[in-house]
Amino acid sequence: MNPHLAPVAVPDPALLPHVQRLCDLTDPYAHGPEHDALFAAAMAETNAWHAERSPFFRSLYEATPEAHPYRAPLVHANFFKRHEVLSVAREEVELHLTSSGTTGQKSQMFFDHWTIRSAQRMVARIFERNGWITPDQEVNYLLYSYEPAPSLNLGTAFTDNYLCDFAPARSVEYALRNTGGDHEFDPFGCIAALRRFEREDAPVRILGFPAFLFFTLERMRAMGLPPLRLPEGSLVVLGGGWKGHADRRIGKEELYARVTEQLGIPGERIRDTFGSVEHCIPYIECDHHRLHAPVWSRVAILSTRTLEPLPYGEPGYLHLVSPYITSVPAQSVVMGDLASLRPGDACGCELETPWFTVHGRAGVSRNRSCAVAAAELMKGMA
């Protein structure tokens, strides 16, 4: 068995049997009444788990009407920027990740063994379904992420390095180079790596922030470089968004077209993702480029005025729910993103779970995040 798909046990099988069953599901996009019932039972278990172990969550839970969906109190992602709330003992924390760069407010998230391993296994299930786990095929990696450093505990850096486990690395290059206490965007290093990769016979995997990829393509064009044709089987998996640089952002379709034009990677091998350190469930585009909810989560859109759930098609706050997490009471998180939800059959792909579109950050103030901190490195590079 692939080690990323190996079984992992909940902290207490007697208290969390439905959580175990839900997270053990092998089809990432299974759906139906029986799955809805399993999800609801798992949410009841994880709510009881956190209510027993977190006074903060217990006070919210006791004030939440039973008729509320899954009786899951709403916790805004920004709460974790100012508070550390645990439902496990400190010695059970296996991993500590943050959401932002070297300055500004950071979400502090803590993961026990079950939580981080079950989230990683979900990613592996989706990669497996797409045929992206290739243990016998070496690849060259270009990571539009942070080069590892001793004190670096950013969620995006952790995720991008984990994604390198799905195919053995012939080489790994980083766009954000460690300069000793800081990181600097290196567009010329990225271009040199891509030109070298074109000459080799190994597929290329490009992972990370889309903005840095775009600025690399812009620099190639400004230098008058001809289009590259990266080897067959190359793959682009993007994540992190364009937060803080809306004035320089291009549309997803245009970016994908540029990648195909300048790197030779077809559109079906270019996928965006959505995720956050506060909610580690993977949302990875289908081949029609829609972010479908996997079986381990439920997605809702909340009114910006009343926080009541909205019908399909109406924009509001993105609300993400999953019972997988036992380390922190973050099973029902309201994100700082505006989004809209659509039914599965409105996509046209083979997946039938609902999918959502992210329209941008809510509010008028600059809400720093990991992507914002990284994007600031691009000043003067365009």
Side-chain angles (χ1 to χ4, degrees):
M1 174 183 291
N2 187 292
H4 302 292
L5 301 172
V8 57
V10 292
D12 191 326
L15 296 178
L16 302 166
H18 293 92
V19 174
Q20 181 78 67
R21 283 179 53 200
L22 178 72
C23 294
D24 281 346
L25 293 175
T26 59
D27 182 352
Y29 301 102
H31 66 99
E34 68 276 17
H35 297 97
D36 292 338
L38 176 59
F39 187 91
M43 281 299 300
E45 290 174 355
T46 202
N47 285 339
W49 172 272
H50 291 295
E52 176 67 24
R53 292 161 178 79
S54 168
F56 158 74
F57 180 78
R58 181 165 59 249
S59 64
L60 291 179
Y61 183 66
E62 291 175 347
T64 302
E66 292 188 15
H68 195 276
Y70 307 112
R71 199 181 174 185
L74 304 178
V75 180
H76 197 282
N78 283 347
F79 173 84
F80 300 105
K81 296 182 184 295
R82 297 177 172 85
H83 304 278
E84 295 183 4
V85 183
L86 291 170
S87 297
V88 296
R90 287 274 176 177
E91 55 267 25
E92 294 178 45
V93 173
E94 186 169 294
L95 183 66
H96 169 214
L97 296 177
T98 67
S99 62
S100 63
T102 55
T103 61
Q105 296 172 330
K106 306 177 183 180
S107 285
Q108 305 291 329
M109 294 300 293
F110 304 87
F111 303 90
D112 57 5
H113 180 75
W114 156 260
T115 300
I116 193 60
R117 277 292 298 117
S118 61
Q120 289 177 322
R121 189 169 57 160
M122 294 173 193
V123 176
R125 294 285 188 208
I126 297 176
F127 267 59
E128 180 187 47
R129 190 184 191 282
N130 283 291
W132 299 340
I133 297 181
T134 57
D136 299 323
Q137 173 66 68
E138 283 189 340
V139 304
N140 286 313
Y141 288 96
L142 175 55
L143 303 188
Y144 282 94
S145 184
Y146 297 88
E147 185 176 14
S151 61
L152 187 68
N153 60 350
L154 297 174
T156 52
F158 177 84
T159 299
D160 289 338
N161 281 286
Y162 172 69
L163 295 183
C164 292
D165 289 345
F166 296 131
R170 177 175 293 186
S171 66
V172 180
E173 301 290 344
Y174 289 88
L176 305 185
R177 303 303 303 273
N178 178 21
T179 59
D182 205 349
H183 285 80
E184 181 177 339
F185 177 41
D186 180 14
F188 298 107
C190 294
I191 294 170
L194 289 169
R195 298 181 75 182
R196 174 168 59 87
F197 293 164
E198 182 190 35
R199 297 191 297 269
E200 299 186 10
D201 60 356
V204 179
R205 293 198 175 186
I206 299 173
L207 312 172
F209 296 116
F212 289 109
L213 173 57
F214 170 64
F215 276 87
T216 301
L217 299 176
E218 285 285 272
R219 185 57 57 94
M220 289 173 60
R221 180 172 285 182
M223 293 170 62
L225 297 178
L228 304 178
R229 288 296 175 263
L230 297 181
E232 184 178 356
S234 293
L235 176 69
V236 177
V237 179
L238 302 172
W242 296 65
K243 305 177 186 71
H245 287 269
D247 57 328
R248 303 160 81 178
R249 176 175 183 164
I250 65 171
K252 183 170 63 176
E253 295 78 8
E254 183 179 353
L255 176 61
Y256 292 179
R258 288 284 297 273
V259 172
T260 300
E261 174 194 347
Q262 292 184 256
L263 301 182
I265 300 176
E268 64 270 16
R269 302 285 294 180
I270 308 169
R271 306 291 180 93
D272 198 5
T273 67
F274 181 89
S276 73
V277 73
E278 301 91 358
H279 178 88
C280 290
I281 302 296
Y283 299 91
I284 300 177
E285 285 186 340
C286 67
D287 55 12
H288 287 201
H289 302 296
R290 314 290 195 186
L291 294 166
H292 289 260
V295 68
W296 313 290
S297 79
R298 297 295 183 270
V299 178
I301 306 299
L302 306 182
S303 167
T304 57
R305 293 187 302 105
T306 67
L307 295 182
E308 291 298 315
L310 293 174
Y312 286 132
E314 293 194 22
Y317 293 127
L318 181 63
H319 178 209
L320 303 174
V321 180
S322 176
Y324 83 107
I325 186 167
T326 54
S327 53
V328 174
Q331 68 271 38
S332 173
V333 179
V334 179
M335 306 302 297
D337 301 273
L338 293 175
S340 57
L341 190 66
R342 303 280 183 177
D345 59 11
C347 175
C349 76
E350 63 180 354
L351 306 182
E352 298 182 15
T353 62
W355 51 274
F356 62 94
T357 300
V358 178
H359 304 298
R361 301 290 286 184
V364 296
S365 63
R366 182 169 178 168
N367 190 341
R368 296 187 81 260
S369 69
C370 187
V372 170
E376 288 176 349
L377 298 173
M378 292 191 292
K379 290 179 179 177
M381 301 306 297

